Amino acid sequence: MRTIFRDDHLLFRDQVQRFINERILPHYAAWEAAGVTPRALWREAGAQGLLNSALPAPYGADGDFGHAVVVIEELARANCLGIGFSIHSDMVAPYLLNLGSTVQKDRWLAKMAAGELIGAIAMTEPGAGSDLKAIRTRAVRDGEHYVLSGQKTFITNGVNAGLVIVVASTEPELGARGLSLFCVEEGLPGFSKGPALRKIGQHAQDTCELFFDEVRLPVDCLLGEANAGFEYLGRELARERLAIALRAAASAEGMLEQTKAYTRERKVFGKRVIDHQSNRFTLADAQARLHMLRVFLDDCVRQLMAGTLDPVVAAMAKLNASEMQGQILDDLLQLYGGYGYSSEYGIGRAWADARALRIFGGTSEIMREIIGRAL
Ligand SMILES: Cc1cc2nc3c(=O)[nH]c(=O)nc-3n(C[C@H](O)[C@H](O)[C@H](O)COP(=O)(O)OP(=O)(O)OC[C@H]3O[C@@H](n4cnc5c(N)ncnc54)[C@H](O)[C@@H]3O)c2cc1C
């Protein structure tokens, strides 16, 4: 029994499940083939309160982080890791809410909640991923403007994004302490996007490269203070990492349920797959590990809602959950035999989609660095 949810969260979960069953699952394969989810889906999700769920009205659906958890978990449990709602709602929107001026919030957040404007965040560059000090994208002050030049890569929601929070260097000699955040709108002269990148999984996700060629940004596009970007990223990453951990856990739980059903149906050597002891032990191990993970993550959610989640604990959550998801999905796939490697049951897609969770939001090695530094 989970104790972190109230009745309104449980009702919301029913609504989110219905939305996924009716509006996402019937079309998901087509979106995978297209490499992008349609913008119309975002507007439908916005109308149902699935975007910016944790933000106060009119900037969001007036819920709390428990509502955000419901959306994150249900999408992952339904094997829809390619839907980019979480970056939009649990990362970009909170940056604007916590750091933005009233003018910035009024301009973008209500539209984001309605799904009329899709958000992305651009840190990674071809030469700078784990090491943000190496960021080369520059923003140079020129009177009442900043002039932004550089390139970003692997940007989730990139193709659809109408608003991108871009991390750029404003004082290169200060390294990571000279980074700032900018709100960059689609359509500005000099801002262009590449096509959706070809990836090994999460095919419905429109991850792409972004290019900035002397984009002139009015100074009011600066988010928060100049040169405080690194500190802001540090503050906000705990929530992003917990969100990734929650996705990882729910994806593995969803696939475990599906695999229990499959192994009860399929017979080998005259017995159901689950009746062979080694297979039952595989399922038992997965169940036991996921139960332990769930208790830990619920505690992290509780701490995040109380404002006490330590970034080191959030790194532990992401490391444990994404590594466990990868190992468990690999074991579960094996129980399907050849069908695991086909696209028939979704386990193969889950396995490939999951691989990214050990990489984005900080790799497992970076999580170990964060935990190791605090030893
Ligand atoms: C599907 C997907 C979506 C993404 N979405 C976004 C997004 O929306 N926005 C965004 O900004 N980025 C995004 N990323 C980028 C992601 O955050 C980076 O790929 C990640 O941070 C790693 O950076 P890198 O790829 O440059 O690898 P590198 O930093 O080049 O790392 C290479 C290897 O070195 C290891 N390594 C690095 N530092 C250390 C160290 N100190 N000790 C030991 N090992 C180390 C890494 O763990 C890795 O194994 C996304 C990536 C993917 C795959």
Side-chain angles (χ1 to χ4, degrees), residues 321-337:
S322 61
E323 291 288 332
M324 206 182 281
Q325 175 199 26
Q327 289 156 14
I328 287 175
L329 291 182
D330 197 70
D331 291 344
L332 296 181
L333 187 150
Q334 190 71 11
L335 297 179
Y336 290 74

Side-chain angles (χ1 to χ4, degrees), residues 130-146:
S130 305
D131 182 9
L132 292 179
K133 279 197 307 299
I135 281 181
R136 292 281 165 272
T137 296
R138 283 291 318 270
V140 180
R141 181 85 187 237
D142 178 23
E144 286 310 294
H145 288 82
Y146 281 95

Side-chain angles (χ1 to χ4, degrees), residues 134-189:
I135 281 181
R136 292 281 165 272
T137 296
R138 283 291 318 270
V140 180
R141 181 85 187 237
D142 178 23
E144 286 310 294
H145 288 82
Y146 281 95
V147 181
L148 182 73
S149 300
Q151 179 182 347
K152 298 288 177 180
T153 191
F154 297 128
I155 305 309
T156 299
N157 297 341
V159 173
N160 272 336
L163 178 70
V164 185
I165 296 179
V166 177
V167 183
S169 171
T170 31
E171 291 281 353
E173 57 282 6
L174 296 181
R177 303 279 156 204
L179 297 175
S180 305
L181 309 185
F182 293 91
C183 300
V184 183
E185 286 180 294
E186 190 179 31
L188 282 174

Side-chain angles (χ1 to χ4, degrees), residues 87 120-131 152-157 199 202 205 207 240 356 359-366 369:
I87 288 262
I121 179 150
M123 298 179 254
T124 308
E125 302 183 354
S130 305
D131 182 9
K152 298 288 177 180
T153 191
F154 297 128
I155 305 309
T156 299
N157 297 341
K199 309 186 293 303
Q202 302 203 5
Q205 171 46 237
T207 317
E240 189 203 1
I359 297 170
F360 60 48
T363 63
S364 289
E365 291 69 36
I366 294 300
E369 271 298 311

